[in-house]
Amino acid sequence: MKISESSRIRVWASITLMVALYAGGVYWVYRESSGASESIAHLVPLATGLAVVPLVLVMILAIFSMLAKSIRYVARLRAAGISPEIRNTLASVSVGDGDRERLRWLSQHHRRPFEIIFTEFLSSFGGQINSELRILAVELGLAERWRHAIRSRNFLVQKTALANLGRIGHAIDPRLLRHPVEQTRIEAACALLASGSTDAPAQVFKMLPDQSLLGRIRLADSLRPFAPEICERYLAEGIGSTDARSVKASLELLRAWERWIPIASFSRLVAGRDIELRLAALPVLRYGSQTEQEAAQEVFDLLQFPDEQVHAPAAKAAADMGISESIPLLVKQLRGDGPVSALAAARALAEMGSEGRDLLENEIYSSARPQYALQALEQSLVAERG
Amino acid sequence: MTAFYHVINIILDVIIVYAFASNFNYFVLMSLGFFVLRAQRSTEGSVERDPLFKSKLMPAISIIAPAHNEELSIVQSTRSMLQLEYPEHEVIIVNDGSTDRTLQLLIEQFHLYKSSRQPLHNLVTGPVKAAYESQNLKLLVIDKEGGGKSDSLNAGINYASTPLVAPVDSDSLLESNSLLLVVRPFLEDESTIAVGGIIRVVNGCKVEDGAVTKVGAPPSMLTKFQVVEYLRAFLGGRVALSYMNSLLLISGAFGLFRRDKVIEAAGFQVGSLAEDLELVIRLHRISRENKRDYKIVFVPTPVCWTEVPDSLKNLRIQRIRWQRGGLESMWKHRGMLLNPKFGVVGCFGMPYLLLLEILGPCIEVTGYVITIAGLLIGFISFTSALLFFIGSVLFGTMISISAVLLEEFTTRRYAHPLDLASLIGAAFVENFGYRQINALWRFQGIFEVVRAKKKRVWGKMPRKGFEPQTT
């Protein structure tokens, strides 16, 4: 798990302080015990002293931990006891016929279990119940509490608060999208999208290239409901961008969504680019291209690319799109390429209907290395039966 | 005679300074581990399972589990591996010359067919007899002639087609979300080449359908001591070393590697008793020699549960094997030691491993022998010897209790306060006898390397299987 720069500084500052205290202790005990004559007697009190001080601290910590754990344990048992009542009361109030005063009392006296259950309700119900929950969140002071919690140093508290504020349609500060900690940026972006803000998809799309793959996966998922809007207005621009990171992030969105969203001149936008980008575009050629010919041409080009490493993904793309015209190139690949590429070609041929399978059978009997054809044919038959 | 006493006194001084310097080092690493875990804790649960689980952007993983006479647990652990939550993963079991029903059970239980599957890479391995595959192509069993764990892992890697490979022990249990958690550093930083997860002790936990359903401290003192040891090693040492990018050990029971990097490093070293340690050192070596930006990371949340020995005899065998493996790996890569070319790995990670983990037992045992002999001959006073022992025990206790508290402050897997209390108790008691006997075994391990005693191909301990494993 990545640690932010500010946390990194805090970690080293804490360690430096601890080591300094410890070194101070060493010096003090050494000075006090420096009069002893026997060598071992000279060092042992020093060492014992060094052990005793931190041990006492650790023992105190241990006692406090035991107490804290017991308190948490009891609190968990209590929460388990009160949870059914919270659930029932909240359910009744949210459909308009419960005891609002009792609910208020529960929210004030059992804050933690109440907030957990409230969050569950908020994320599970839509429509009228959700509207009532939004009103309740403000009425019971939860919204205010969450607004404060987004400044918490505990990320989990911050995350829950952001998500809940998004669910109740509360405005999210757009500055959080530029927060130095990636996780906070991502949570803020998701909350912003959930809040229904009209320019949220555009803002979140723009921040995609600067995130790690983990962040991009999360954002791609949150952007999914806005896919038509993103594709129509921003995606072509992203793919045509001169910034490789923007192109990659845009292609990843298409791949994550797996939706048929034709983009004008899609293949032209990726053809002739850096090979890494063309490879990233391969799995989504069938989703983004306006015509089959346009996509097929790009696959042909890559099947003939000098670097063999490109052939395996190209063969897979040919199979996914069912480009039967690529069969001669696949046969050539099966016969001449290394194991990974040859197997990919064989698998692609196995998916090309009877023509591909017949060719594979011929390979099994006539080729000097029939193993890849045999494996692909066998796996295809097993998959069919399965 | 005076000169002799003088020499003995100097040796004792060195031992005392070493003992407390090493404890001080543990203390610093433990503190660093604490602060790092605290900084990480707030972000570790930040990504929900669903977006990752359904994403097409996640890199596929091959789990590679070598198996040698595992008929007791193989079906359950394979089922558990197949059921892991991950968008795209395959399981490769390598049956390494088992003489029991391991292979037959796999074929029968998972309805495997004899497959024509071919290796895709060319790591050198022993002969493969046959490959068997399940109909959904998620499980591949490679039946090969016995060649040891490293040879089996290499055979598995040869058949893997995914960008990431996860060598695991076939007698361990992975938590259902382990893969989703262990892959995270690869998603966060493209320079990550290997990640290790935490290994926890399953003894004392409740296991149902291949999953740990209730975490509890083990009933026997010997296994409790090992829980404390695991916590100390993983949450203290490895967190801190990982933070400094000088982590030298990713446990063979559960790790995740970039396949291309493992192949570039020529795979696991056949014949090594610590193939996991050796590979990680080699990955560091290659990356540093080629001046690459890389990361080898430990993450404390993806959990792999393993059964630890519950008898002194089996524990002794395990510890001797670990010690021998460590020393052999260190000897093989001795050129990295204190070599500035290898940065923090050569100047801190390797000396730490050598002085504290490998040579530590020698020095400790020498200290005990000289102190007892000195007491008998009379050149060390009883008070000094007692003080030395008390100091040593107190420091040991502090480090061990700190390790248990680290768990409590961060991952908090033991829910019941009594479990915490019993582990704190064990952290104290282990200093009276267990620690000393452990040092003796490890000393024996070093001795066996020096005597070049014959290696066991599979250093396995007898297992009881996972169920029933209840408190």
Side-chain angles (χ1 to χ4, degrees), chain A residues 188-206:
Chain A
C190 294
L192 188 69
L193 288 168
S195 71
S197 163
T198 46
D199 59 347
Q203 287 190 53
V204 175
F205 178 77
K206 275 183 199 146

Side-chain angles (χ1 to χ4, degrees), chain A residues 299-370:
Chain A
V299 175
F300 283 142
D301 286 351
L302 291 176
L303 280 171
Q304 294 170 88
F305 197 78
D307 184 357
E308 192 185 301
Q309 286 189 355
V310 176
H311 295 175
K316 188 173 184 318
D320 289 345
M321 287 187 265
I323 306 172
S324 54
E325 293 83 353
S326 64
I327 287 178
L329 288 172
L330 291 172
V331 173
K332 192 177 156 211
Q333 185 175 327
L334 170 64
R335 289 178 183 160
D337 279 8
V340 175
S341 181
L343 181 63
R347 280 183 174 153
L349 284 169
E351 287 177 38
M352 294 284 185
S354 57
E355 191 185 350
R357 288 191 183 181
D358 290 345
L359 277 165
L360 283 178
E361 273 180 32
N362 285 340
E363 284 296 308
I364 292 169
Y365 295 112
S366 61
S367 165
R369 47 171 209 175

Side-chain angles (χ1 to χ4, degrees), chain A residues 55-305:
Chain A
L55 180 67
V56 169
L57 287 174
V58 166
M59 289 306 290
I60 293 168
L61 268 178
I63 291 165
F64 274 110
S65 301
M66 288 290 301
L67 282 174
K69 193 163 189 80
S70 305
I71 292 166
R72 269 198 306 272
Y73 189 71
V74 172
R76 234 187 356 256
L77 292 179
R78 276 188 63 199
I82 199 75
S83 290
E85 189 189 345
I86 296 175
R87 224 173 272 278
N88 290 338
T89 315
L90 185 58
S92 314
V93 171
S94 55
V95 293
D97 63 350
D99 182 349
R100 266 186 133 80
E101 273 317 300
R102 180 68 185 160
L103 191 71
R104 186 180 299 279
W105 186 88
L106 287 167
S107 78
Q108 283 163 358
H109 291 85
H110 300 276
R111 280 174 66 155
R112 211 172 135 67
F114 186 87
E115 219 168 301
I116 291 170
I117 293 168
F118 196 90
T119 303
E120 264 175 40
F121 271 58
L122 210 49
S123 52
S124 310
F125 297 107
Q128 190 56 41
I129 295 179
N130 190 274
S131 306
E132 187 62 33
L133 287 169
R134 286 173 180 224
I135 295 166
L136 276 173
V138 177
E139 202 180 301
L140 299 173
L142 294 172
E144 191 54 33
R145 224 183 281 165
W146 294 331
R147 252 200 304 272
H148 287 292
I150 55 174
R151 285 192 292 271
S152 169
R153 278 174 60 183
N154 182 331
F155 177 72
L156 293 180
V157 171
Q158 190 186 44
K159 177 193 163 187
T160 312
L162 275 168
N164 285 341
L165 284 174
R167 285 180 192 125
I168 62 168
H170 192 281
I172 304 291
D173 184 352
R175 282 175 303 180
L176 285 169
L177 300 184
R178 295 185 296 278
H179 196 276
V181 178
E182 187 188 41
Q183 285 96 336
T184 304
R185 290 199 296 270
I186 302 299
E187 293 306 327
C190 294
L192 188 69
L193 288 168
S195 71
S197 163
T198 46
D199 59 347
Q203 287 190 53
V204 175
F205 178 77
K206 275 183 199 146
M207 66 185 278
L208 270 173
D210 298 323
Q211 316 310 317
S212 69
L213 178 56
L214 183 70
R216 298 200 299 272
I217 288 173
R218 182 78 202 281
L219 291 180
D221 187 60
S222 297
L223 280 170
R224 196 184 290 268
F226 308 94
E229 183 189 340
I230 296 276
C231 290
E232 194 181 312
R233 296 172 60 182
Y234 313 108
L235 213 57
E237 193 188 326
I239 294 168
S241 165
T242 49
D243 176 15
R245 292 174 317 145
S246 297
V247 185
K248 201 173 161 196
S250 305
L251 292 169
E252 278 172 355
L253 273 187
L254 269 183
R255 196 169 152 209
W257 294 337
E258 284 190 299
R259 288 176 68 153
W260 191 274
I261 307 167
I263 294 166
S265 311
F266 178 79
S267 300
R268 201 154 45 80
L269 286 172
V270 288
R273 304 290 289 260
D274 177 57
I275 189 64
E276 201 187 325
L277 292 180
R278 290 176 72 184
L279 278 177
L282 259 176
V284 293
L285 271 179
R286 60 182 163 153
Y287 302 125
S289 301
Q290 278 183 317
T291 62
E292 278 181 21
Q293 291 83 349
E294 196 187 12
Q297 189 53 51
E298 175 66 359
V299 175
F300 283 142
D301 286 351
L302 291 176
L303 280 171
Q304 294 170 88
F305 197 78

